[in-house]
Amino acid sequence: MSVLARASVRGYQGDYKHDRTRVAACMKHFIGYGYPFDGSDRANRHIAPRELLEYYLPAFKAAVDAGVATAMSSYGAINSEPVTMSRSYLQRLLREKLGFRGALVTDAGEIASQVSLYKTASDIGQATWGALSHTSIDLSMMTADTSFCEVAYGLVVRGYIPESRVDESVARILQLKKDLGLFERPF
């Protein structure tokens, strides 16, 4: 899988910062998504830590080493810890251990799922606070729901999330847009 991950990043991205025929690759779903306990999409995954590091991590490491521009957090939970809210997986493992520096997006509705499905937050405010304070998520994938941005703004205004945390995400998103040439040719 590592060879495939590396080749996919190189194939899709190439020299995407200069070659406008290329795209920014996204490695997904970080991590453990491919082993749902009951076969369902957002299931809890029962994966021993050693197994996770030996069998699931190498392909992601290869993608990071190849310079992948973006990553998507996994649906679901590993050993009852929702990945989208996990400091261990998204900050320590992805950012610190693997050295991923690109933009990190949730999968569709995963912050809201912390309230409705996983019950790790009592409301969207608590879920947004958890994602921003515990992880390095930059974007919440939602089609029409703007609550993540609105709630995040309110959390910053009230002092629950430091403005510097938002600056980190904004810097990664703007860098990606610059690398893709979106400021030169937005459409």
Side-chain angles (χ1 to χ4, degrees):
M1 290 304 289
S2 296
V3 172
L4 180 60
R6 186 178 308 104
S8 294
V9 170
R10 290 180 180 156
Y12 285 117
Q13 282 186 187
D15 186 15
Y16 77 105
K17 294 179 182 180
H18 300 101
D19 181 352
R20 296 300 174 227
T21 65
R22 300 299 187 138
V23 298
C26 182
M27 63 177 188
K28 57 189 244 181
H29 294 90
F30 189 83
I31 186 170
Y33 179 75
Y35 188 68
F37 180 70
D38 67 358
S40 65
D41 196 32
R42 290 184 164 145
N44 187 27
R45 283 117 175 105
H46 303 284
I47 306 172
R50 183 174 177 173
E51 181 181 356
L52 189 74
L53 297 177
E54 287 185 17
Y55 295 103
Y56 292 87
L57 194 61
F60 290 104
K61 181 178 181 341
V64 170
D65 290 348
V68 70
T70 68
M72 179 180 284
S73 63
S74 179
Y75 274 131
I78 299 173
N79 304 322
S80 300
E81 181 178 3
V83 175
T84 295
M85 300 292 276
S86 174
R87 177 178 282 131
S88 297
Y89 296 125
L90 299 183
Q91 185 61 38
R92 293 185 188 123
L93 186 58
L94 179 62
R95 296 283 188 191
E96 295 169 15
K97 183 177 172 101
L98 294 184
F100 177 67
R101 301 284 176 252
L104 177 59
V105 62
T106 69
D107 211 327
E110 271 302 271
I111 292 179
S113 292
Q114 303 310 308
V115 178
S116 62
L117 184 62
Y118 306 115
K119 310 297 186 202
T120 58
S122 61
D123 58 36
I124 194 66
Q126 191 178 52
T128 302
W129 175 84
L132 289 173
S133 66
H134 296 121
T135 76
S136 57
I137 285 172
D138 300 311
L139 300 156
S140 173
M141 181 194 285
M142 295 301 297
T143 54
D145 182 359
T146 60
S147 62
F148 178 77
C149 295
E150 293 162 2
V151 171
Y153 174 76
L155 291 168
V156 170
V157 168
R158 291 191 309 275
Y160 292 111
I161 297 291
E163 193 172 327
S164 61
R165 171 60 184 88
V166 175
D167 290 344
E168 291 172 21
S169 289
V170 169
R172 287 189 285 259
I173 295 164
L174 290 176
Q175 184 64 53
L176 177 64
K177 288 183 174 194
K178 178 181 177 269
D179 291 346
L180 290 168
L182 296 178
F183 296 121
E184 299 162 16
R185 297 180 64 201
F187 301 102

